[in-house]
Amino acid sequence: AIDLAAGEGRNSVWLAEQDWDVTAVDFSDAALAKARELARTRSVRLRLVEADVTRYTPAAQSYDLVLVAYLHLPEPARSRVIGRASEAVAAAGTLLIIGHDQTNRAQGYGGPQDPAVLTTPEEIAAAISGLDIQRAEPVERPVQTSDGERVAIDQVIRAHRHA
């Protein structure tokens, strides 16, 4: 698996705990240091790559799972990253993209407020090439706050490459 824009590595570590061989890519050496420490404390291994995902090209058709979680970019960087992520999916592999939905800004809780970085699931799906879209929809996610439970509106896009 490859986790593009892995940040501090929480998703990468979770995947490693599920027996995935994980490459975590992020531009921040500070975030990757936290990912390294989290992996150490949870007794898993990660392959860490310091790189800007707007310029990074993962190996083509090399990963059974390509994860892009909560990476919010304006165009054209967004489509470039999604295109490269699509190309990295191996035969019978999956691309999973999760982020704040465009509707979250007005109807949900938290997340970025810049409309230039928020999309619809259909916009993300349109940037995916060479894969079959299995799911592209908004989903509600409960968020615990000091004022009680609120709801964030995310989007989940799942695509698959045939074997």
Side-chain angles (χ1 to χ4, degrees):
I2 188 167
D3 183 0
L4 297 172
E8 296 179 6
R10 288 181 296 277
N11 293 322
S12 298
V13 167
W14 184 87
L15 287 168
E17 288 174 331
Q18 309 312 305
D19 293 326
W20 286 89
D21 177 14
V22 182
T23 299
V25 181
D26 201 89
F27 76 99
S28 170
D29 62 339
L32 291 174
K34 290 180 179 181
R36 181 179 299 108
E37 179 60 18
L38 181 60
R40 187 191 66 71
T41 61
R42 302 271 280 272
S43 300
V44 296
R45 298 182 69 168
L46 298 178
R47 187 174 307 106
L48 303 173
V49 176
E50 185 178 340
D52 179 344
V53 296
T54 65
R55 295 188 184 102
Y56 178 77
T57 302
Q61 297 191 23
S62 296
Y63 297 94
D64 294 323
L65 174 63
V66 177
L67 174 64
V68 182
Y70 297 97
L71 175 64
H72 298 96
L73 297 170
E75 284 295 349
R78 177 176 52 241
S79 289
R80 278 196 308 267
V81 170
I82 293 169
R84 290 178 186 145
S86 301
E87 292 169 8
V89 177
T94 297
L95 170 63
L96 183 61
I97 301 173
I98 302 167
H100 294 286
D101 191 74
Q102 184 179 66
T103 59
N104 191 64
R105 196 168 153 248
Q107 300 169 23
Y109 177 81
Q113 298 299 301
D114 180 357
V117 301
L118 294 170
T119 64
T120 66
E122 295 80 12
E123 289 171 313
I124 297 295
I128 294 171
S129 59
L131 305 176
D132 292 325
I133 306 299
Q134 296 177 312
R135 181 179 184 186
E137 62 189 7
V139 295
E140 293 186 355
R141 174 176 50 90
V143 178
Q144 297 301 323
T145 74
S146 58
D147 296 327
E149 186 174 283
R150 304 282 301 274
V151 174
I153 304 170
D154 291 341
Q155 56 183 239
V156 174
I157 298 87
R158 181 179 174 160
H160 179 77
R161 183 180 305 281
H162 286 290

